[in-house]
Amino acid sequence: MSEVLVDFARPYIDAAKTKQEFERIIGIAALAWNVSFHTEETPEELASRLAADLNLPDNEGLKTALAEMIIRRRIWFAHHDRVIIKYQVTDTGRNYHVTVISTLPGQLASGNTTE
């Protein structure tokens, strides 16, 4: 699941110049990934609600990126049904490594997790 999250965030990762920026992109990607399972709302509605709930700056660019990520997960990563529980970014000195803990496949509401 770690590689999946990095692949999912790849269109945005190149913008990261520091570890903090990389972590922020991975965090936003993980958040967008998880909320994308809420199909009763459009991606735009989810992005707006998420930004408001988290007191994020009223930034249309951020809302657009969140909505794009939600759509991206639903279309290109629809076969992955795991929820991300926790992630960690480690600086290896040459690049950043992402470790993810997630639910098991097919168990969105379960407490079973795996790395």
Side-chain angles (χ1 to χ4, degrees):
M1 195 58 203
S2 300
E3 289 178 22
V4 172
L5 180 59
V6 171
D7 287 344
F8 173 66
R10 183 133 348 259
Y12 305 93
I13 287 176
D14 289 341
K17 306 267 188 274
T18 66
K19 181 182 179 201
Q20 182 180 11
E21 290 174 356
F22 186 89
E23 285 177 323
R24 187 174 302 129
I25 290 168
I26 292 297
I28 291 169
L31 195 58
W33 180 278
N34 286 344
V35 300
S36 72
F37 292 105
H38 296 276
T39 58
E40 66 277 357
E41 294 178 78
T42 68
E44 294 78 12
E45 291 168 338
L46 281 169
S48 290
R49 186 167 55 85
L50 190 60
D53 288 351
L54 296 176
N55 293 320
L56 297 175
D58 190 18
N59 181 324
E60 285 305 312
L62 177 60
K63 290 178 191 174
T64 298
L66 280 168
E68 287 173 356
M69 286 182 175
I70 291 166
I71 293 166
R72 181 171 163 74
R73 210 289 307 156
R74 288 179 178 174
I75 294 172
W76 299 106
F77 295 82
H79 58 286
H80 293 283
D81 65 349
R82 298 168 133 187
V83 173
I84 297 168
I85 296 170
K86 184 177 179 180
Y87 68 90
Q88 180 177 354
V89 175
T90 306
D91 186 346
T92 67
R94 293 181 17 190
N95 57 22
Y96 303 119
H97 176 76
V98 177
T99 304
V100 170
I101 297 174
S102 68
T103 59
L104 294 171
Q107 298 183 347
L108 286 174
S110 142
N112 296 326
T113 61
T114 187
E115 275 190 61

